[in-house]
Amino acid sequence: MAGRKGKKKTGSLWSFLAFIAVIALWAVPAIGPGVIAVLSAFVVLYGLFQAPTWCCAPTRKNEFCRNNASGILLGCHIRQHKWQKLKMAFKEQAPAKALRRMLGNVNGVAASLSAVAGTVSASAATVTLLAK
């Protein structure tokens, strides 16, 4: 039983370790921007679709769901919540509301910051790659 918990914990931390590696790779001039762009893209995808966060989909009582979810864009085990969170990303005022809910806990903040920083890093690496 202890082996599974340790494996799951390591699996949930690999993106944050990759994020630290991306930051470290920017300081190494021998590493090309292509490698940094690919690693940054993995960090972004993990933050959007796999990082452990709360669901935060609206419930019938106009509160937010506190079930565990995978990623910023996906909901919990309830099928309707998966679609609600995806719809919230594209509605007019829903992204701001979803962002406030997501930043209410440490996991959401870590996933959001790594996704944003990964996006900036991937963009900068792509521009550097195209400029050469």
Side-chain angles (χ1 to χ4, degrees), residues 30-88:
I31 302 296
V35 174
I36 295 172
V38 169
L39 193 57
S40 298
F42 282 128
V43 170
V44 171
L45 290 174
Y46 179 80
L48 293 178
F49 298 107
Q50 288 293 320
T53 61
W54 284 346
C55 177
C56 297
T59 63
R60 292 181 183 173
K61 296 179 182 177
N62 207 17
E63 297 173 351
F64 62 93
C65 177
R66 295 184 62 121
N67 290 332
N68 293 330
S70 295
I72 298 169
L73 292 181
L74 298 179
C76 62
H77 65 279
I78 301 171
R79 185 177 63 217
Q80 186 177 7
H81 286 188
K82 292 182 185 198
W83 288 108
Q84 283 176 337
K85 282 204 55 179
L86 208 51
K87 286 179 192 176
M88 284 177 73

Side-chain angles (χ1 to χ4, degrees), residues 10 18 33 37 39 41 43 48 55 57 67 69 102-103 110 112 116 121 124:
T10 305
L39 193 57
V43 170
L48 293 178
C55 177
N67 290 332
M102 185 59 63
L103 296 178
S112 299
V116 168
S121 175

